[in-house]
């Protein structure tokens, strides 16, 4: 039974008598002041929605290029130039369109060549010079653009009449006939070294240069050019092309780092090319330009360089001389290059300066003073290995030969170089210049110095080297700090 007094009190209490925070939630919500939504209220709600949707939206946009590459490409290239946006189709469709265009061009060219070949075989339809030049357009990499009288860089390209003459002579496609040289090594021209057989002068005075060079007779007053192609043996395809496609009077320099050097040397001599050994030396920017392992270095003592020289000379037999490779620094120091030239002179070999400086080097001058066969590379033919640049350098070489009587070019065994050399050599006689092996131009470029001149040059070189070493030496602080660091 309830208490009447308590019941009366609870009935008398109402929501108005309770604090706000003790009221039920629905009552508190009803009593809250109601204001219309403000701009800040809307912005807060939009921010909440954006924060909630942004990860999903970013993932969705990122998946578009994966699900549909074409739509993704268009979506991300809306701001690109119209010429790019307007390209129709997918990437695969574009590639197929390009391939179709290439096939159409090839089929059209093939049809034209077949028609020209059929017309050429008809005895009742003789061809003119222009027709032959048109047939030779497919070998433009070999002969240049038919019909052009000249190029902007001064090179001359054959006219239709010249192309017709070349075609009649078979100079462009006729294989080179071998003219074998004697197999090497010849008896008495080598001896046992630290790493194998190395060249030596025979007991009867015959030198390896005389025995292994390609026979050639010069005519007094006739200008001559010589080409020596380096890097032979490093690439089998290029090596085969150089041996079989180049004129036999072009000399070949074999790299000491090539594989199967004995066979490469035998193949080159069996074809009729005289061969040389590349001699790697330290360049001025060493080690940025690295001549290779066991190269001759200025930082090594004389004995170590001579040991390396013996290793290089024992790589293969049958070479008529050596060609310096890089070596702009090593060949300019008397103390470094002089022992090498003396060793080469004792072995009866020719020394060819191949650093492409175009001027008489210290090594070539020392060889000339010792009455050893020598030559200097005047022009690097393919420093820029493009058809136009190679033709320009070959043209410079011909002009140099006309003015000086002889000129020597250094080239590398690039496919484009081999092609341009073959075409150039077939037209060389028309320019009044003849192609000769490098050995045939020995002792024609460098004038020997007298004993007094040679000694004065040696002293000057020694003083210059001593000054260079002092300039390169670290400065002394005076307190022994540098000495302590070295120790």
């Amino acid at each position: 039974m309830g208490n009447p007094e308590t019941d009366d009190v609870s009935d008398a209490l109402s929501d108005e008598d309770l604090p706000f925070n003790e009221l039920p939630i629905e009552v508190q919500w009803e009593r809250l002041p109601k204001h219309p939504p403000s701009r800040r209220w809307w912005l807060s709600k939009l921010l909440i929605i954006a924060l909630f949707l942004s990860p999903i939206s970013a993932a969705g946009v990122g998946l578009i290029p994966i699900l549909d590459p074409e739509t993704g490409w268009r979506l991300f290239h809306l701001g690109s130039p119209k010429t790019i946006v307007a390209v129709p189709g997918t990437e695969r469709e574009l590639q197929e369109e390009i391939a179709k265009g290439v096939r159409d061009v090839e089929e059209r060219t093939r049809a034209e060549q077949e028609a020209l070949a059929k017309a050429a075989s008809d005895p009742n339809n003789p061809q003119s010079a222009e027709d032959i030049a048109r047939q030779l357009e497919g070998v433009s990499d070999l002969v240049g653009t038919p019909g052009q009288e000249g190029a902007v860089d001064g090179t001359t390209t054959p006219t239709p009449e010249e192309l017709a003459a070349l075609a009649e002579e078979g100079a462009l496609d006729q294989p080179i006939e071998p003219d074998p040289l004697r197999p090497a090594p010849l008896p008495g021209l080598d001896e046992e070294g630290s790493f194998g057989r190395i060249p030596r002068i025979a007991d009867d005075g015959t030198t390896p240069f005389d025995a292994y060079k390609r026979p050639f007779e010069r005519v007094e007053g006739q200008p001559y050019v010589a080409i020596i192609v380096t890097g032979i043996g490093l690439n089998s395809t290029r090596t085969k092309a150089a041996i079989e496609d180049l004129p036999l009077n072009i000399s070949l320099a074999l790299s000491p780092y090539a594989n199967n050097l004995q066979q490469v040397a035998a193949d080159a001599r069996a074809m009729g090319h005289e061969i040389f050994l590349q001699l790697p030396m330290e360049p001025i920017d060493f080690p940025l330009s690295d001549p290779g392992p066991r190269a001759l270095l200025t930082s090594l003592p004389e004995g170590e360089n001579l040991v390396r020289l013996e290793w290089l000379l024992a790589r293969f037999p049958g070479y008529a001389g050596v060609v310096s490779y890089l070596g702009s620094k090593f060949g300019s120091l008397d103390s470094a290059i002089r022992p090498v030239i003396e060793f080469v002179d004792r072995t009866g070999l020719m020394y060819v300066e191949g650093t492409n400086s175009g001027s008489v080097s210290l090594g070539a001058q020392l060889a000339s003073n010792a009455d050893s066969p020598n030559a200097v590379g005047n022009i690097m033919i393919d420093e820029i290995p493009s058809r136009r640049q190679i033709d320009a350098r070959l043209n410079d070489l011909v002009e140099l030969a006309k003015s000086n009587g002889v000129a020597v070019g250094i080239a590398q065994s690039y496919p484009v170089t081999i092609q341009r050399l073959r075409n150039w050599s077939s037209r060389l006689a028309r320019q009044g210049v003849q192609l000769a092996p490098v050995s045939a131009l020995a002792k024609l470029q460098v004038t020997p110095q007298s004993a007094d001149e040679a000694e004065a040059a040696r002293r000057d070189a020694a003083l210059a080297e001593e000054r260079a070493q002092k300039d390169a030496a670290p400065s002394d602080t005076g307190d022994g700090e540098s000495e302590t660091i070295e120790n």
Side-chain angles (χ1 to χ4, degrees), residues 36-106:
S38 61
R39 182 179 299 177
R40 182 177 298 179
W41 184 89
W42 284 113
L43 290 176
S44 64
K45 298 302 181 289
L46 290 175
L47 180 60
I48 293 173
I49 296 172
L51 291 175
F52 177 76
L53 295 178
S54 59
I56 301 175
S57 302
V61 173
L63 288 174
I64 289 176
I66 300 175
L67 299 176
D68 187 357
E70 182 176 355
T71 302
W73 185 91
R74 293 181 181 277
L75 177 64
F76 290 106
H77 289 77
L78 292 179
S80 302
K82 294 183 178 179
T83 53
I84 298 179
V85 176
V87 175
T90 63
E91 182 179 355
R92 177 177 296 179
E93 292 174 350
L94 293 176
Q95 293 177 352
E96 291 176 353
E97 188 69 21
I98 294 173
K100 182 177 181 299
V102 172
R103 287 194 300 269
D104 291 343
V105 172
E106 291 178 348

Side-chain angles (χ1 to χ4, degrees), residues 15 20-34:
D15 294 341
F20 181 81
N21 59 347
E22 294 182 5
L23 294 174
I25 296 300
E26 57 274 9
V27 177
Q28 291 183 18
W29 174 258
E30 290 177 356
R31 290 189 179 184
L32 284 174
K34 300 298 187 293

Side-chain angles (χ1 to χ4, degrees), residues 177-183 214-215 248 266-273:
E177 290 296 331
D179 182 17
L181 303 177
R182 290 182 293 176
R214 177 170 174 80
L248 301 183
D267 292 345
R269 288 186 57 82
M271 188 67 185
H273 295 279

Side-chain angles (χ1 to χ4, degrees), residues 401-470:
K402 290 180 180 179
S403 60
N404 295 348
V406 296
V408 177
I410 307 291
Q412 302 179 73
S413 55
Y414 298 135
V416 64
T417 304
I418 296 173
Q419 292 173 351
R420 302 312 300 168
L421 283 175
R422 177 161 183 177
N423 169 246
W424 167 78
S425 62
S426 65
R427 297 185 288 117
L428 190 57
R430 293 185 177 88
Q431 303 180 54
V433 180
Q434 288 192 11
L435 180 65
V438 174
S439 61
L441 306 187
K443 302 183 180 181
L444 295 181
Q445 296 173 288
V446 184
T447 303
Q449 295 175 329
S450 64
D452 294 338
E453 291 173 338
E455 179 60 23
R458 187 195 65 78
R459 288 196 301 267
D460 292 343
L463 290 175
E465 185 175 347
E466 185 179 352
R467 285 195 297 268
Q469 290 176 351
K470 288 182 179 179

Side-chain angles (χ1 to χ4, degrees), residues 206-444:
T206 303
T207 65
F209 168 74
D210 294 326
Y212 295 135
K213 68 180 182 180
R214 177 170 174 80
F216 186 87
E217 299 221 355
R218 296 196 314 268
V219 177
E220 190 68 26
Q222 168 67 50
Y224 290 99
V225 294
I227 300 289
I228 183 165
V229 177
T230 62
I232 301 299
L234 295 175
N235 180 284
S236 58
T237 302
R238 295 180 183 180
T239 298
K240 185 174 184 294
I243 293 175
E244 297 180 357
D245 296 342
L246 287 176
L248 301 183
N249 282 341
I250 290 183
S251 307
L252 305 180
L254 278 61
S255 169
Y257 309 122
N259 295 323
N260 202 15
L261 272 173
Q262 307 255 352
Q263 187 61 49
V264 173
D267 292 345
R269 288 186 57 82
M271 188 67 185
H273 295 279
E274 67 178 16
I275 57 176
F276 286 76
L277 166 69
Q278 275 187 233
L279 215 56
M281 300 178 180
E282 180 182 350
I284 197 70
D285 58 347
F286 179 82
L288 184 62
S289 295
D290 189 359
R294 302 202 186 188
L296 309 182
L297 305 176
T298 58
S299 59
L300 299 177
E302 175 184 328
E304 176 63 22
N305 278 325
L306 292 181
V307 169
R308 294 189 171 199
L309 178 61
E310 275 204 47
W311 180 85
L312 294 165
L313 294 177
R315 296 295 290 149
F316 61 92
Y319 50 89
V322 296
V323 183
S324 63
Y325 172 66
L326 297 178
S328 54
K329 181 177 181 180
F330 189 92
S332 63
L333 295 180
D334 184 88
S335 61
I337 191 63
R338 185 180 291 271
V340 174
I341 297 300
E342 291 174 351
F343 195 103
V344 170
D345 176 57
R346 290 196 300 269
T347 56
L349 296 170
M350 180 179 182
Y351 178 79
V352 180
E353 178 59 50
T355 56
N356 311 318
S357 63
S359 58
V360 176
S361 67
L362 179 57
Q365 186 65 65
L366 292 174
S368 178
N369 295 346
D371 198 27
S372 294
N374 61 87
V376 177
N378 300 113
I379 295 177
M380 180 65 181
I381 301 300
D382 52 1
E383 189 171 9
I384 301 176
S386 70
R387 183 172 63 88
R388 185 176 296 274
Q389 291 296 327
I390 292 173
D391 288 347
R393 300 292 80 77
L394 289 172
N395 187 69
D396 294 340
L397 192 69
V398 169
E399 295 302 321
L400 184 63
K402 290 180 180 179
S403 60
N404 295 348
V406 296
V408 177
I410 307 291
Q412 302 179 73
S413 55
Y414 298 135
V416 64
T417 304
I418 296 173
Q419 292 173 351
R420 302 312 300 168
L421 283 175
R422 177 161 183 177
N423 169 246
W424 167 78
S425 62
S426 65
R427 297 185 288 117
L428 190 57
R430 293 185 177 88
Q431 303 180 54
V433 180
Q434 288 192 11
L435 180 65
V438 174
S439 61
L441 306 187
K443 302 183 180 181
L444 295 181

Side-chain angles (χ1 to χ4, degrees), residues 98-139:
I98 294 173
K100 182 177 181 299
V102 172
R103 287 194 300 269
D104 291 343
V105 172
E106 291 178 348
E107 291 175 359
R108 185 165 58 253
T109 303
R110 190 181 302 111
E112 292 176 356
Q113 292 177 349
E114 290 175 356
L116 289 172
K118 184 177 180 181
S121 61
D122 187 358
N124 299 325
N125 184 22
Q127 289 182 295
S128 64
E130 287 75 9
D131 294 333
I132 296 176
R134 197 177 304 112
Q135 281 184 301
L136 294 174
E137 287 179 357
V139 290

